[in-house]
Amino acid sequence: MSKLTVTVPDIGGAENVEIIEINVAVGDSVNADQDLLVLETDKATMEIPCPQAGKILSLLVKVGDKVSEGSAILELESADSALSADADQNRAGAAPAAKEPAPSADIKAAEPEPVAGEERLIDLVVPDLGGASEVTVIELCAQPGDSLNADDSLIVLESDKASMDIPSPQAGTLKELLINVGDKVKEGQVYGRLLTQARVDSAAPAQQALAQQTAVQAASDKALEQASEPTVTAVSAAAVSETTNRMEKPDIHNVYAGPSSRRLARQLGVDLTRVNGTGDRGRITKDDIRDYVKTLVKQAENGVATVTSGSGIPAVPAVDFAQFGEIELQPMSKIKKVTAANMSRNWLNVPHVTQFDEADITDLDAFRASMKAEAEKQGVKLTPLPFLIKAAASALRLEPSFNVSLHHDGEHMVQKHYVHIGIACDTPNGLMVPVLRDADKKGIYQIAREASELIEKARNGKLKPNEMQGGCFTISSLGAMGGTGFTPIVNAPEVAIMGVSKAQIKPQWNGKEFVPRNMLPLAVSYDHRAINGADCGRFFTTLVALLSDVRRLVL
Ligand code: COA
């Protein structure tokens, strides 16, 4: 056993190449040829394999670090002392230099010296394929008419062992492409034409760019040949280059995408494991990434689920209503749009159960009527709402299993020790839910006063954001409008909501006879992930009892 420092091998002359993945950790036992980390240049993704079997003693780099040939990347306790006797010889960096760049095939050598500003139509030529006779065109990255910078990807080629982005040799306009996806191409084949504006020195850098690309690819393919040889030395020598310009086959991340797609994904912060590949054999193309981002942006703009689509639910087809009669399109207010998004989100996320009951509010109503004049003197309008708020707050105190939220980590429940009640409020702009704080600690008058202030603010568009946050439970009262019952949607992250319908005098059996009582229809919807039916049964019974016996409310 001995210690050896693994270094970055020959990477075709590329300098300061970023580490995008580290696939091992300290203490890991690794095999010879096992991928240690992944480097990425503008044009290629390169996996650095382990030169020999051993145990990782320490990592000398981290994701995001830039490395060049010879940079130390980790320390390895070699399993094979014979092989590790001379660490320098066995390190990954002992690769042979990349073969000399092939002369550029992109620009015909015989062409006359360009004049500055002169437009030139140049052939786009398949470069040195490192010995592969034919490779398949798997992606066209540009279309005729596209303006390109030098080095923008033009096409992606793939052999059975490697793939590579072929960049534009110069800035210009793509005039034509002579190939299609699926075509087989050979080195030297003209695959398109680019209209360029020549600068005095334009040819040299273009050739250099292509030569560099070709060199990297040449190193890659040489390495591919070497990698198939069964000795440790050959593998370690081939090291990086094995995968230079190679498509990431389904790997530990189960992702099949080329360097340019990976780069785009990293620029956009896209997790490629979430993207559906529509390319050949499920390869993720740049268009797949763009489509994925477009979908996310659309969902974010409209909420998790839009009116027409979301959460994988089939979209409601668009309908031309004008074919059925006269129509006009009215813009939705911002509040209506937000409400639509929130409702969809809550409806889709929360497994709802709704339970119904009736509270006998005959005594409460009589009490309310008796207090109305006095309340008005104090500038308070005594509708059933403040009593409902007080009763709900007391019930939440008595049945704390209702005063919870699900923690976003999926591992905890949040038990709240405060009681803030949301009031669903119909406003000219749409539905708003101001929150009355610490309702359990306040008397009926104070609740009535604060509730009407909040309702007025909501109707005048004066609510501040913090006056709409922090609710534990919402009351949605349609009592003034009528109806015998409805099923309200839970206002997540709250876990329950009460829908109040219009009180009506109904005959009630008192054990001896039917008597007329003022019955208030109530519905409680709850999130079945947080609350069980029995919890709701207890909470609801408590709430109804509080409303039915006004004396309990003041206790
Ligand atoms: N049964 C019978 N009458 C009722 C009642 C009920 N459940 N609730 C209220 N009333 C009566 C009130 O007593 C009042 O009559 P009064 O003046 O004779 O006393 C009248 O209806 C009007 O009450 P209102 O001014 O609407 O006050 P409120 O305190 O009952 O309601 C809001 C205030 C904000 C809750 C209510 O106006 C509102 O906007 N509700 C809409 C909620 C909503 O849109 N929810 C979404 C549904 S999913």
Side-chain angles (χ1 to χ4, degrees):
M1 295 271 179
S2 69
K3 195 164 94 175
L4 99 117
T5 303
V6 178
T7 60
V8 175
D10 177 2
I11 46 177
E15 298 268 334
N16 292 322
V17 183
E18 188 173 347
I19 298 174
I20 60 162
E21 280 170 28
I22 294 183
N23 299 331
V24 289
V26 172
D28 282 0
S29 292
V30 289
N31 299 320
D33 204 23
Q34 181 173 333
D35 291 336
L36 296 173
L37 45 85
V38 183
L39 307 180
E40 192 175 71
T41 67
D42 279 359
K43 294 283 163 281
T45 306
M46 305 170 250
E47 288 167 1
I48 308 287
C50 196
Q52 55 185 269
K55 190 172 170 187
I56 308 288
L57 292 176
S58 65
L59 286 171
L60 307 174
V61 286
K62 58 186 183 314
V63 169
D65 283 357
K66 303 263 170 78
V67 291
S68 306
E69 180 182 344
S71 303
I73 49 182
L74 56 81
E75 287 181 317
L76 186 76
E77 186 177 68
S78 167
D80 185 338
S81 55
L83 283 168
S84 60
D86 180 352
D88 278 350
Q89 276 185 8
N90 285 299
R91 61 182 193 171
K99 74 180 180 188
E100 281 297 303
S104 167
D106 266 46
I107 300 168
K108 286 178 182 160
E111 288 187 13
E113 277 296 304
V115 177
E118 182 192 344
E119 282 198 332
R120 301 182 67 195
L121 195 61
I122 62 166
D123 287 346
L124 297 166
V125 181
V126 176
D128 178 358
L129 297 173
S133 55
E134 271 193 338
V135 292
T136 309
V137 179
I138 59 166
E139 194 174 337
L140 304 179
C141 309
Q143 296 300 321
D146 286 357
S147 292
L148 300 166
N149 294 318
D151 268 10
D152 280 355
S153 295
L154 273 170
I155 57 173
V156 183
L157 304 179
E158 188 180 61
S159 69
D160 41 339
K161 286 183 189 163
S163 78
M164 57 183 148
D165 278 13
I166 305 298
S168 178
Q170 295 183 33
T173 305
L174 184 61
K175 282 313 260 184
E176 60 178 335
L177 276 177
L178 307 170
I179 47 167
N180 289 310
V181 169
D183 285 358
K184 304 264 187 211
V185 291
K186 293 179 176 165
E187 182 181 328
Q189 181 175 333
V190 175
Y191 66 87
R193 288 192 180 82
L194 184 76
L195 189 65
T196 64
Q197 274 214 333
R199 293 177 316 188
V200 177
D201 59 345
S202 61
Q207 284 176 332
Q208 273 168 17
L210 185 70
Q212 196 176 11
Q213 162 69 14
T214 310
V216 172
Q217 180 58 29
S220 154
D221 292 315
K222 181 158 180 86
L224 276 168
E225 288 159 26
Q226 291 173 335
S228 59
E229 293 170 31
T231 66
V232 171
T233 312
V235 171
S236 60
V240 166
S241 309
E242 178 185 351
T243 50
T244 300
N245 277 334
R246 191 179 83 177
M247 289 298 259
E248 299 294 317
K249 303 284 179 190
D251 58 9
I252 48 166
H253 302 291
N254 249 346
V255 163
Y256 182 30
S260 58
S261 298
R262 283 176 179 269
R263 189 166 59 253
L264 181 65
R266 283 200 303 127
Q267 283 164 354
L268 298 175
V270 168
D271 174 358
L272 279 175
T273 59
R274 294 175 178 270
V275 180
N276 274 341
T278 60
D280 197 24
R281 286 174 283 133
R283 214 178 94 266
I284 296 172
T285 65
K286 285 189 190 168
D287 279 344
D288 293 333
I289 296 168
R290 290 188 192 106
D291 287 348
Y292 175 78
V293 171
K294 273 187 217 159
T295 307
L296 286 188
V297 168
K298 201 171 171 196
Q299 284 183 351
E301 280 173 359
N302 296 305
V304 168
T306 66
V307 176
T308 52
S309 68
S311 299
I313 293 171
V316 176
V319 174
D320 175 14
F321 296 97
Q323 65 183 305
F324 308 120
E326 197 181 325
I327 57 159
E328 71 177 271
L329 279 187
Q330 295 175 341
M332 280 170 88
S333 72
K334 187 148 188 263
I335 291 174
K336 278 201 171 139
K337 282 197 240 171
V338 170
T339 303
N342 287 347
M343 289 298 174
S344 300
R345 184 193 66 201
N346 296 341
W347 179 253
L348 291 169
N349 280 300
V350 176
H352 280 75
V353 178
T354 306
Q355 228 160 289
F356 303 91
D357 207 343
E358 287 182 328
D360 182 341
I361 58 162
T362 314
D363 296 344
L364 187 152
D365 224 30
F367 176 69
R368 186 174 71 89
S370 72
M371 298 301 292
K372 230 175 166 180
E374 185 191 307
E376 265 165 32
K377 272 190 211 153
Q378 298 207 25
V380 176
K381 190 180 176 210
L382 219 49
T383 67
L385 185 68
F387 295 92
L388 290 165
I389 294 172
K390 182 72 186 170
S394 303
L396 286 171
R397 274 278 173 224
L398 292 167
E399 298 295 339
S401 64
F402 250 66
N403 196 12
V404 295
S405 277
L406 293 164
H407 194 275
H408 59 79
D409 67 6
E411 305 280 336
H412 299 89
M413 300 277 280
V414 179
Q415 178 68 59
K416 295 166 195 174
H417 297 301
Y418 53 84
V419 181
H420 304 335
I421 304 290
I423 306 163
C425 202
D426 180 36
T427 80
N429 285 326
L431 184 65
M432 305 209 66
V433 187
V435 174
L436 196 149
R437 301 192 120 66
D438 298 314
D440 57 322
K441 296 183 185 143
K442 292 176 180 165
I444 297 287
Y445 279 172
Q446 192 181 351
I447 291 176
R449 195 173 295 112
E450 287 185 20
S452 26
E453 279 167 15
L454 287 169
I455 292 165
E456 198 177 320
K457 277 189 180 177
R459 292 193 171 141
N460 296 331
K462 297 263 167 66
L463 280 176
K464 296 187 189 116
N466 68 340
E467 290 173 315
M468 292 181 278
Q469 291 164 355
C472 304
F473 180 85
T474 292
I475 296 176
S476 177
S477 174
L478 295 177
M481 296 134 207
T484 56
F486 65 101
T487 54
I489 296 176
V490 171
N491 188 19
E494 295 168 24
V495 293
I497 183 170
M498 176 164 71
V500 183
S501 296
K502 189 175 175 61
Q504 286 187 57
I505 305 292
K506 288 186 180 175
Q508 294 294 304
W509 183 250
N510 68 4
K512 290 190 202 133
E513 56 184 348
F514 281 104
V515 288
R517 304 295 289 177
N518 198 7
M519 303 304 290
L520 181 68
L522 300 170
V524 170
S525 297
Y526 59 89
D527 183 339
H528 209 339
R529 295 171 303 172
I531 290 171
N532 288 327
D535 298 326
C536 187
R538 278 187 289 273
F539 172 81
F540 216 169
T541 306
T542 304
L543 181 62
V544 164
L546 287 165
L547 288 168
S548 303
D549 187 351
V550 74
R551 292 166 306 173
R552 288 171 188 257
L553 265 188
V554 292
L555 291 177

